[in-house]
Structure formats: C-alpha cells, structure tokens
C-alpha cells in the first residue's frame, strides 16, 4: 500500500510585486496621511472612502498602459462558470475613476461643486521593478463641477502646501504644469486629430510621459516604429513620419531652444555691460537644473523661474500655430500663473513644462506633477534627481460616461510611499521608532501587579506592555525590550515589592554608556534608578522627556 502524499507546505513569501510593511514604516505613513489630510481639510475638502472593488465597466477604458480590460488591473468575473456569468470586477487602479462613479451615483445628494479627498491602497497588475510595486498608497483631492481654471490653480497650490507640510522644503521640489489642450493643438498641427487617430494619440501620450526615463531619443523611437528595452521587450510605436515626429518633439523638448536663447541674450547683456540683466537670464536657465544644484542655489534661481515660464508660454504659442484648442490651452497656463502668484504661490514653486502629459487617457486640460529636485544616487552610483511624487490634472469627460452630461473635474494624487522614500533618502525619517516601555516579569504569581503598572503608564498616555513570553530567563526579557526599541524597562522583584520600590532601567542611556563611556564615566552616570512605587509614572515620564 502506497503512502499517502503529504500536502506540500505553502511558501512563506510575498507575491511578486508586493511587500510587507512593519513598525515605523506604518506609523510614518499614518503620520503623513494625517498631515496631508489636514491640508486638504484647510482647503475645504471633505473625506470620502469608496469601495476598493469596482466593475471593470465603471473603471472604463482608461486603464494604465493597456488596451484590454483584463490587463493592467487585477480582475475576475463573478460566477464565471455559471450559465449567466456575472460582472467583471477589478481592484481599483486609482482613486479617480471610482470618484466619477460615486459622483454620478450620488450627485443629487452632493454639493456642486463637490470637493473630496480620499486615501488608500490601489492595485496595478503591471511589471514590477525596483521601487515599483503592484500595491501602493495614493492620497487624492478632487473638485468636481468647477469648470474654471481657478480650480486647477488651487489644486497646484494645495499640492505645494502638502509637500511642505510633510517635510519637503522649498527649493527641494517643483510643481511642473502643462495643458493637454496644448498637446491636442500640436496633435492637430501634426495631423493626428480625429477619431481614426485615437490609437496613435494614445501611444504618443505614453511616449511623451516617459521622456524623463527614456530621454529624447527613446521618445523619438516610440513616436516612430517602436523601441526595444534593455530586457529585449519591444514596444510598438505610433508609426509617425519624420515631420510629425519633429512637430511633437518641438513641443515636448522645448528646453533646448529656450535655454539657448536665454544664454545668447545673457551673453549679449554681458557684452553691453548690463550685468544685472545677464545674471537674471542665467538664473532663469539654472532654475530648471534643480537636481544638480545646491539647495541654496535652487532657491535663489527659482526666484527667476518666472522668466523661464513666460518664455515657455511664448514658445508654445508659436508651436500650436492657428489651432484654437491649442491657443486656449496656452491661455489657461497663463491664467494659472497669475492666479498662483495672487495666492502667494510664486513661480519659485511652479514650472511650465511641455513634457508633462500624464500617461492616463482621461485628462482634458491642465496636467501637473510634483517633482523632487534634490540629488540622489541610483543603483549604479550615478547622480539623478528623485523624480515625481504626485500628479493630476483636469478630466472633464470622466463623469460624462455615466451621466451623458459634461461634468468638469480636476484633481491630484500624491504617492505616499514615494514621498516616504524621499524623506528617508533625505534623512528626515527616524526609522528607529521608539518602542513601548516594557514591564518585566520577575514573579509569575504577581502578574496582576505588573498589569497594574502597565495600566497606570497607559492611563498617563505612555505606550507600555507587560512581557508575555517565558519569564524564566531575565536576560531574554531585556533582549526582547532591546529588539522592540524600548526606551525603558521596569523591574520589580520580591525585594523591591516588599520595600515598595521599583527599578527603572534607562535602556537608551544604558546603550550609550556601554558604547561610549569609560569605566569612571559609567560609574558616574547610572542608567538604572530605584524609585518609590508611586513615583513610577513620574520617573518614566522624566526619562522619556530626556530622549524625546
């Protein structure tokens, strides 16, 4: 008789493209979400929590980088094997498409305009990579029902305030702004208007959106026949001709001609002896070199970014030619600059950048991204700027899919995990989060006494716990406290109990003494204190205050 086969044990590993978060990572994220929510609420936005699952039909055709509804998202069909299969459902890939459904469903009960913010995880069934996961947090704010470009300007102002609220200092970021209407005008000039060119326009959008990663030549390849990446995967291109490609690139890669023109004007000003004007023109050029400047220089040069922004707008007016929609987009960019200046958000924090198009297809007007401009090292030790941590724009047609009526909307999504990674890279996060005070167990029969100590500490607002492992080996209890990052251990044996005292061990000071002090210093700086039992909370507070 053959032996029954053993059921194989499941592998203890996270699925590909996902990760687990522990301790300080979770608390840092929660703290960041509270700070961002506070800014959103100051601007008058209300919280909304929608379902993590939507019908694929509700998510629509605007899936990230895909053409079929079962790709790009995690989707399944209800009762797939039944005679009448149910709906296709999917985990939400962002928080914007669900908002369109919510507004359409509840619009009669909601104020108009409706200003909401939402926070939570989203899921994308995409190829994972370094720092790129299939589940990540987003933190969105949107205004639905406001057609004015003032709503877009307000979102950009709020985004800047959020970055500074969480610890990204001025000079370390810039909000880059463009307008899809300008791009539509360029498409029109390049012969890509009309429903029969929709597929090509989609490829063009995604190609431009990858300019920072692929560079101008990589984008040119995607505008043409296509591109093979380092892994050998081939991405089909838009199939544009040389003239069409150059028209699009003249729009996207405006940096070079504007930079050259400013440099030439600065040289002329120097030759004429006008050093003040020459310095301003040079500063305007340097204002877009953020990643390779010292922070003080970034702040200084940013003060002259208004010169750069106006030159870009003038350049875009030439590029769109006679296109009415293109001209409208340029005028909206001009209005946004004026409105942001009026609200105290100067060009120091804002840059007009035609390369910002956003990859998703539902944007219809202004689009924006927040880019961190400080320098980090990549995996090969090469300097680069940190990159984008937030993005959004206007999407006036998304709700219309449900209602049949045009509903203007604009919003932004902040990538919380990216922001946390940025603060970590700048050394502004303490990954050694303080653990709880640990009350050790010296006598199993007096567990009630130890629980009473913990209760007193908790009632005083101090994080605390009783050691619940095997108390036989006291050294293991202190090792446990050390592993938890505990600042203090409380010790009460039989003698201490009889004398009405407790021993309080300052674990942080003890570690410092053990690491740095001489024997004489160690004797003079005790890290363990004996105090009356009724002074337990007072002494623990005192120690925590020293290390707070």
């Amino acid at each position: 008789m053959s032996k029954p086969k053993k059921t194989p044990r499941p592998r203890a590993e996270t699925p590909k493209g996902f990760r687990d978060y522990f301790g300080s990572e979770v608390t840092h994220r929660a703290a960041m979400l509270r700070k961002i929510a506070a800014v959103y609420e100051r601007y008058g936005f209300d919280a909304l929590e929608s379902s993590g699952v939507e019908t694929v039909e509700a998510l629509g055709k605007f899936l990230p980088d895909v053409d079929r509804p079962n790709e790009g998202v995690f989707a399944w069909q209800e009762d797939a094997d039944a005679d009448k299969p149910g709906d296709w459902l999917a985990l939400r890939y962002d928080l914007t498409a669900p908002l369109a459904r919510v507004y359409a469903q509840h619009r009669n009960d909601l104020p108009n305009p409706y200003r909401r913010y939402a926070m939570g995880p989203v899921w994308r069934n995409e190829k994972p990579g370094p720092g790129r996961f299939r589940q990540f947090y987003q933190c969105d704010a949107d205004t639905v029902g406001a057609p004015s470009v003032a709503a877009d300007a307000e979102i950009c102002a709020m985004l800047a305030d959020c970055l500074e609220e969480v610890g990204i200092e001025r000079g370390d970021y810039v909000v880059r702004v463009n307008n899809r209407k300008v791009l539509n005008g360029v498409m029109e000039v390049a012969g890509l208007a009309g429903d029969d060119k929709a597929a090509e326009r989609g490829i063009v959008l995604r190609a431009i959106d990858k300019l920072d990663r692929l560079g101008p030549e990589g984008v040119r390849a995607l505008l043409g026949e296509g591109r093979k990446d380092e892994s050998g995967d081939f991405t089909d291109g838009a199939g544009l001709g040389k003239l069409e490609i150059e028209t699009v690139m003249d729009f996207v890669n405006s940096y070079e001609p504007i930079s050259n023109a400013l440099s030439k004007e600065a040289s002329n000003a120097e030759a004429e002896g006008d050093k003040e004007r020459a310095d301003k023109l040079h500063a305007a050029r340097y204002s877009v070199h953020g990643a390779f400047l010292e922070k003080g220089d970034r702040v200084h040069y940013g003060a002259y970014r208004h010169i750069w922004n106006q030159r870009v707008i003038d350049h875009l007016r030439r590029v769109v030619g006679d296109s009415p929609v293109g001209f409208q987009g340029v005028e909206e960019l001009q209005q946004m600059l004026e409105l942001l200046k009026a609200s105290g958000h100067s060009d120091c924090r804002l840059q007009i950048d035609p390369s910002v198009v956003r990859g998703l297809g539902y944007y219809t007007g202004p689009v924006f991204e927040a880019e961190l401009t400080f320098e980090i090292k990549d995996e090969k030790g090469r300097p680069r700027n940190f990159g984008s941590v937030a993005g959004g724009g206007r999407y006036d047609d998304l709700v219309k899919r449900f209602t049949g009526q045009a509903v203007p909307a604009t919003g932004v999504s902040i990538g919380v995990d990216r922001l946390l990674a940025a603060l970590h890279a700048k050394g502004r996060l303490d990954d050694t989060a303080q653990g709880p005070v640990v009350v050790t167990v010296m006598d199993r029969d007096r567990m009630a006494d130890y629980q009473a100590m913990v209760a007193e500490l908790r009632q005083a607002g101090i994080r605390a716990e009783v050691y619940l492992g095997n108390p036989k080996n006291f050294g293991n209890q202190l090792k446990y406290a050390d592993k938890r990052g505990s600042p203090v251990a409380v010790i009460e044996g039989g003698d201490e109990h009889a004398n009405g005292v407790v021993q309080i061990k300052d674990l942080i000071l003890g570690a410092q003494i053990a690491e740095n002090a001489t024997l004489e210093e160690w004797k003079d700086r005790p890290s363990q204190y004996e105090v009356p039992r009724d002074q337990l909370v007072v002494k623990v507070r005192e120690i925590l205050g020293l290390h707070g």
Side-chain angles (χ1 to χ4, degrees), residues 518-532:
T518 65
L519 177 61
E520 289 73 19
E521 289 174 328
W522 185 84
K523 289 178 179 178
D524 292 338
R525 292 170 61 195
S527 62
Q528 186 163 312
Y529 311 88
E530 182 178 276
V531 300

Side-chain angles (χ1 to χ4, degrees), residues 156 175-183 208 251-252 312 316 329-330 332-333 336 350-358 365-369 392-394:
C156 289
V175 179
R176 302 189 297 141
V177 184
N178 191 20
N179 195 310
R180 277 286 184 86
K181 292 176 182 176
V182 181
L183 178 57
I208 297 173
F251 161 73
V252 175
V312 175
L316 294 179
V330 175
E332 288 180 356
L333 288 175
M336 287 184 68
L350 190 79
Q351 178 182 330
I352 304 300
D353 188 344
S355 70
V356 177
V357 297
R358 308 291 296 155
V367 286
F368 26 84
E369 288 185 351
R394 176 162 289 276

Side-chain angles (χ1 to χ4, degrees), residues 476-495:
N476 286 343
Q477 297 193 52
L478 293 183
K479 288 180 181 178
Y480 171 81
D482 181 61
K483 197 166 188 177
R484 291 299 315 273
S486 302
V488 171
V490 178
I491 305 164
E492 189 195 63
D495 292 342

